[in-house]
Amino acid sequence: QTVSINKAINTQEVAVKEKHARTCILGTHHEKGAQTFWSVVNRLPLSSNAVLCWKFCHVFHKLLRDGHPNVLKDSLRYKNELSDMSRMWGHLSEGYGQLCSVYLRLLRTKMEYHTKNPRFPGNLQMSDRQLDEAGESDVNNFFQLTVEMFDYLECELNLFQTVFNSLDMSRSVSVTAAGQCRLAPLIQVILDCSHLYDYTVKLLFKLHSCLPADTLQGHRDRFMEQFTKLKDLFYRSSNLQYFKRLIQIPQLPENPPNFLRASALSEHISPVVVIPAEASSPDTGEDHLEEKLGPSFSLNSFSSDPFIFNSQNGVNKDEKDCLIDQLYREISGLKAQLENMKTENQRAVLQLKGRLSELEAELAEQQHLRQQAADDSEFLRAELDELKKKREDTEKAQRSLTEIERKAQANEQRYSKLKEKYSELVQSHADLLRKNAEVTKQVSVARQAQVDLEREKKGLEDSFRRVSEQAQRRTQEQTEVLESLKTELATNKQELQVLQGSLETSAQSEAKQVAQIAELQKERDSLLSAATHRDKEFAALQEQLGHDQLKLASTQGRDSRALFLVRSRLSDRDALRESVERLVKDQRKVLLMESRMAAERVVQEALSQLEEPTLVSCAGSADHLLSRIKSVSSCIEQLEKSRSQYLACPEDIGGLLHSVTLLAHLTGDTILHSSATCLRAPPEPADSLAETCKQYGRETLTYLASLEEEESLGNASSTALRDCLSKMAAIGEELLPRGLDLKQEELGDLVDTEMAATSAAIETATARIEEMLSKSRAGDTGVKLEVNERILGSCTSLMQAICIITLVSHSFAGATVCSSQGTASPKEFYAKNSRWTEGLISASKAVGWGATVMVDAADLVVQGRGKFEELMVCSHEIAASTAQLVAASKVKADKDSPNLAQLQQASRGVNQATAGVVASTISGKSQIEETDNMDFSSMTLTQIKRQEMDSQVRVLELETELQKERQKLGELRKKHYELAG
């Protein structure tokens, strides 16, 4: 067993051999424990070799699953050592470091799970009856068991995902020894995951049959997350060649089970992992020879006499010699046959290895071609999506233009109708004026005739005045409507013109760009064709030159003219090549100039927006501004590198163009964020930051202008830009929020002081409540006394709960300081953890202040001058402050601390007491409101109608006030968060 353990756990990056692991498992059953295993493992350097630790985890996992049950008991004493080793390997981010850390956490979780649930065997194989017995027919046990299974499965999935992330899945890693070393432990993980998934499904169906669906919402969400991960990992594992011959991995259903439907349990199929029978393949090396031939057999045994003869066996010496010679000859023949077989086997192995290398090369080439085709397809798909998006934008703009034209036509029709009505009103007004003149004339003639006519005249005058006033009002109203419609029509026309202009501009620019691109393509094609034609002519001329050189002796004069012609054509070709290079160089200059001009426009636009009123409503933070400044600094460094590369190689202009564009956009973004940050800063730093920001914008424009010519491009310097950024960063550091203005030595004393002050405030509040209760019993009777006793009693209970949690929190914080300070004093610990100390002090102050405010509110309610709602708000505020105090106390605590349960129990007591205060307040309010009901029996119909109208008015006023108060509350909370930050 010791030899098998040493052979299974070694430093070679190969998978653990199954026969060695099987021998280790049988050894635990033989000795009924794992003493021998741990005695051998303790001598191995697991903390210094990651591969050795990884193979140890694999073998230990097998022993926990298939070994003797006492393996778990013998291994519990090493649980802390496994945790320390996990933390140690977690510091390595590459290789087997993270793998060992995650695997060791999984083994610790497995040991803890089987310790808490001894009914579950190591291989997790249980029947449904055994699973029911594990929960002991208690829904709380099933609930807790499901949570522990979720944690167990989460560790398994983390190891699964970590192993896959560490492998390069673009290559056939499952056929390499290193890949198999990492993948081999996943067989045990797959076996565990299949059982855990099956049991969680059955337990969740059982829980949904006993508990409400809302209570199990968290369980369902966690199951959905793990179901998605497990399904993906099972699918990816089933496609690996290594697993196909060792294990049959099940596939999970397409959709998760519906736990809200109880009949869905019958549709659940338990996943079954099948491990086929392993073919007995002979191993190579010393182990195989020992197994086949036996430890006492050796080929060297033939060097001595295989037979023992004595002098009395009756066989002659000549027969012995013949027999020995015959045996030696047979041995020599067998050795020759063995050597021939070895040679043939080696030759066959070399051929197979060569064929394997060829197949791997072909596979890599096919994968490369497939990846290249996928990239081309993705690029074409992206171009298609961009074209579709442009077409949709154009169609949307056309639709909006059509809609605006339709609205404009409708407004014109409405304007024409109103104009007709206005003309009719003018005509009617003129008719009335004429009638008025006639009536006035008749009245003046008949004034002297009759007094009755005088009264009639007065009546007519009054009616005429009313009609004229009504006509004037109508005319004025129609005039105002007409003016508003004119204004709306003019606005719509302007919008229509702007949209038409933008569409025309975009269409013209797009057509211009398309035309420029087409011209450049045509020019490039023509230049390429001309260069090709010149190359063909040059080749023909070279051929002709060689032919002429052969005949040079006989035709000297004719060859000289041909040579002159060849040289002239060569000079023409060189001139053409120089013109092409000059054109390309000019195009590079044009591209650089356009990029620089676009960058200058972006920076100028950002500088122009500094004084825009739209930025008044924006506000930025100093930390975000510092991050933008850091991005700009790195961009400037990249721009300097790209500029140097361009000066060294003018053809490499792509990096320079990209850096210029990126600098422009980052500069504009930084300028805008600087302006937004100034809105929150004090006046002096804000002015300094704004001036530095403007200077940085001007320096950026100067630097971009120096990139126009090649002479200035070589001398361009970004030193001024860096200086401005340094000044802006210094101002941003000053604007960062600061903590409490206290000396660190005073924090420790301040914690005790604030805790003592909080306890004193709570005791004072409790005494005041007792005093108010005695006064109420002496002076109140009936419903009021009952309500006051209930409210003050619940307030007393809340104060007692707050007092308990304050004392527990103080002692808990003290215990935390004592357990975490080491050799330092408590004051030094408080000073070192100043943020935590400030949070503790703030929470303690909030609790004391809330207790005082609640007592004042309760006093007013008892006296009949307060509001029940104020008392409920105060109780909720105390609960929130207490929760803050508990959270601040738990920050530095150990999760395994025994005082943690006591603190949580005290927190639940405060929540229950708060609920009691709210319930008693609501009950008392309803009792008092029932005694104040209005009596409508003596009211008339008119009075009831009047009261109904007053109630409607009051309802509208209250709704308006409610909306205003909600807005005010939001602003107050926002300001509170700003001040607290």
Side-chain angles (χ1 to χ4, degrees), residues 435-559:
K435 290 181 180 179
N436 184 22
E438 294 177 357
V439 170
T440 303
K441 185 177 180 181
Q442 292 177 1
V443 170
S444 62
V445 173
R447 183 178 296 175
Q448 298 177 359
Q450 294 179 354
V451 178
D452 296 336
L453 292 176
E454 183 69 25
R455 287 196 298 271
E456 184 178 359
K457 184 194 72 170
K458 292 180 180 179
L460 290 173
E461 287 178 352
D462 294 338
S463 63
F464 171 75
R465 189 180 301 108
R466 288 195 298 273
V467 170
S468 61
E469 290 175 356
Q470 186 176 4
Q472 290 178 357
R473 285 197 302 272
R474 289 182 178 177
T475 304
Q476 186 175 1
E477 291 176 356
Q478 294 295 333
T479 304
E480 292 175 355
V481 172
L482 182 61
E483 291 296 330
S484 65
L485 289 175
K486 285 181 179 180
T487 305
E488 184 178 0
L489 180 61
T491 304
N492 290 332
K493 286 183 178 181
Q494 290 178 359
E495 292 179 355
L496 179 61
Q497 292 176 359
V498 170
L499 286 175
Q500 288 178 349
S502 63
L503 284 175
E504 291 175 358
T505 303
S506 62
Q508 290 176 0
S509 62
E510 183 176 1
K512 184 176 179 180
Q513 291 177 357
V514 170
Q516 290 179 355
I517 292 172
E519 290 177 358
L520 290 174
Q521 288 180 350
K522 289 180 180 180
E523 185 176 357
R524 186 192 64 182
D525 294 337
S526 62
L527 291 174
L528 289 175
S529 61
T532 305
H533 181 68
R534 293 296 184 183
D535 290 334
K536 290 180 179 179
E537 290 182 355
F538 177 72
L541 290 173
Q542 282 184 338
E543 183 179 0
Q544 184 178 359
L545 178 61
H547 183 68
D548 291 337
Q549 285 178 352
L550 296 176
K551 299 180 179 181
L552 185 61
S554 59
T555 56
Q556 186 70 33
R558 185 175 57 189
D559 289 343

Side-chain angles (χ1 to χ4, degrees), residues 303-317:
S303 62
S304 61
D305 290 341
F307 303 100
I308 301 175
F309 299 99
N310 54 29
S311 60
Q312 298 177 359
N313 56 5
V315 181
N316 294 328
K317 187 174 182 180

Side-chain angles (χ1 to χ4, degrees), residues 566-576:
V566 169
R567 289 178 177 175
S568 62
R569 291 186 179 182
L570 286 175
S571 62
D572 294 338
R573 180 178 178 275
D574 294 336
L576 178 60

Side-chain angles (χ1 to χ4, degrees), residues 40 57-58 77 88 166 194 258 452 568 691 750 786 842 886 889 897 908:
V40 176
C57 294
H58 185 192
R77 69 185 68 175
M88 187 273 293
S166 67
S194 62
N258 186 6
D452 296 336
S568 62
E691 185 62 27
L750 188 59
E786 180 182 358
S842 176
V886 173
S889 302
S897 175
R908 285 193 289 270

Side-chain angles (χ1 to χ4, degrees), residues 602-640:
V602 171
V603 177
Q604 289 174 355
E605 184 178 0
L607 289 174
S608 63
Q609 290 181 358
L610 283 176
E611 305 298 333
E612 287 287 335
T614 56
L615 291 176
V616 176
S617 60
C618 302
S621 59
D623 53 350
H624 187 62
L625 175 60
L626 292 175
S627 66
R628 305 310 300 167
I629 292 174
K630 185 177 180 181
S631 300
V632 174
S633 300
S634 61
C635 180
I636 291 174
E637 293 178 0
Q638 183 63 32
L639 178 58
E640 291 292 330

Side-chain angles (χ1 to χ4, degrees), residues 409-423 482 485 489:
Q409 291 177 359
N411 290 332
E412 289 180 356
Q413 293 177 0
R414 192 185 306 169
Y415 172 71
S416 61
K417 291 180 180 179
L418 290 176
K419 188 175 182 180
E420 292 176 357
K421 289 183 179 180
Y422 177 71
S423 60
L482 182 61
L485 289 175
L489 180 61

